[in-house]
């Protein structure tokens, strides 16, 4: 069984992954180009820590479309390497990191420089998860549910509040990991 570090070493850089996307590429790049990290000092603090980000994802995923470019900005600004692996090409890794017994994506695995898994984040910020849960738990027909998910996907490309939910949730997860590493 491969380690997370081996998956990291074999993974694509986030730049290569986004360049090679066949689905939702324009939307993902649009978010990447428009999202600006807040001037909150987080990138400077994060730069002091040796971390690697390994993302389990697929380019057809609406959540990945919005999350990957935001995590990419964080990684680039703080000089951390971010690699991407496909969930569906090799399910061994995702099966070790299930969410509620499902293969939800994206999942960001946080590794130290020794390749040890020290944390994980995903598949969504809590506020976004509440939006998805609201759709799933509503008394919607299958068609209405599909339309609601498509509407949410459109919001992902325009609603900066959603982008900051993702940023703040990932930031909080990383700050908790850093705190544990120091402690």
């Amino acid at each position: 069984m491969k380690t997370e570090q081996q998956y990291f070493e074999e993974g694509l850089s986030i730049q290569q992954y986004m360049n090679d996307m066949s689905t939702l590429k324009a939307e993902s790049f649009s978010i990447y180009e428009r999202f600006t990290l807040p001037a909150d000092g987080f990138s400077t603090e994060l730069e002091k820590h040796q971390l690697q980000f390994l993302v389990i994802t697929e380019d057809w995923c609406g959540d990945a479309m919005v999350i990957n470019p935001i995590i990419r900005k964080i990684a680039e600004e703080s000089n951390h390497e971010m690699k991407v692996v496909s969930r569906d090409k090799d399910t061994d890794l995702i099966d070790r990191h299930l969410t509620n017994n499902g293969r939800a994506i994206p999942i960001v695995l946080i590794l130290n420089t020794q390749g040890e898994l020290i944390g994980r984040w995903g598949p969504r910020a809590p506020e976004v998860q509440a939006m998805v849960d609201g759709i799933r738990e509503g008394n919607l027909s299958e068609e209405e549910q599909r339309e609601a998910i498509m509407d949410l996907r459109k919001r992902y490309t325009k609603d900066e509040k959603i982008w900051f939910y993702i940023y703040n949730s990932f930031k909080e997860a990383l700050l908790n990991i850093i705190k544990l590493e120091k402690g």
Side-chain angles (χ1 to χ4, degrees):
M1 179 166 63
K2 287 196 284 193
T3 65
E4 281 82 358
Q5 181 63 29
Q6 287 170 314
Y7 279 102
F8 181 84
E9 290 166 3
E10 295 171 4
L12 291 175
S13 71
I14 184 63
Q15 296 84 351
Q16 188 65 52
Y17 167 80
M18 286 180 68
N19 288 340
D20 292 349
M21 288 175 73
S22 60
T23 309
L24 301 174
K25 181 177 182 172
E27 295 88 343
S28 198
F29 267 102
S30 173
I31 294 164
Y32 176 74
E33 290 162 3
R34 291 181 293 133
F35 177 70
T36 303
L37 293 173
D40 60 4
F42 177 61
S43 294
T44 304
E45 175 59 30
L46 190 56
E47 201 167 4
K48 299 173 188 173
H49 303 274
Q50 301 297 310
L51 303 172
Q52 304 174 122
F53 304 139
L54 175 62
V55 183
I56 307 169
T57 193
E58 290 291 338
D59 70 359
W60 48 259
C61 175
D63 291 300
M65 169 197 71
V66 65
I67 291 168
N68 290 342
I70 293 168
I71 305 299
R72 177 181 176 180
K73 286 273 184 145
I74 294 168
E76 288 174 345
E77 187 69 26
S78 62
N79 294 311
H80 288 86
E81 199 169 2
M82 179 177 175
K83 297 278 190 88
V84 177
V85 294
S86 167
R87 177 192 75 174
D88 297 338
K89 283 184 185 165
D90 179 351
T91 57
D92 176 61
L93 184 61
I94 191 64
D95 286 346
R96 288 188 244 162
H97 300 283
L98 299 175
T99 303
N100 299 323
N101 293 318
R103 293 177 174 166
I105 53 174
I107 297 295
V108 182
L109 303 177
I110 298 105
L111 311 175
N112 64 20
T113 52
Q114 291 76 45
E116 299 164 327
L117 178 67
I118 57 173
R120 73 166 251 174
W121 182 89
R124 297 177 188 95
E127 300 87 347
V128 180
Q129 185 64 52
M131 292 176 200
V132 172
D133 290 344
I135 293 168
R136 289 182 179 155
E137 294 166 2
N139 288 328
L140 303 175
S141 69
E142 194 174 313
E143 179 62 31
E144 291 169 326
Q145 194 173 59
R146 198 171 18 258
E147 286 177 27
I149 292 290
M150 292 306 292
D151 288 343
L152 181 59
R153 182 184 281 185
K154 288 176 189 166
R155 275 188 66 194
Y156 283 177
T157 65
K158 297 179 176 109
D159 190 342
E160 293 183 20
K161 191 163 44 170
I162 290 173
W163 303 351
F164 284 98
Y165 289 151
I166 294 163
Y167 171 81
N168 287 321
S169 177
F170 189 65
K171 173 184 167 182
E172 182 180 325
L174 289 176
L175 288 172
N176 286 332
I177 291 166
I178 290 167
K179 196 181 334 176
L180 288 174
E181 290 243 301
K182 287 180 180 178

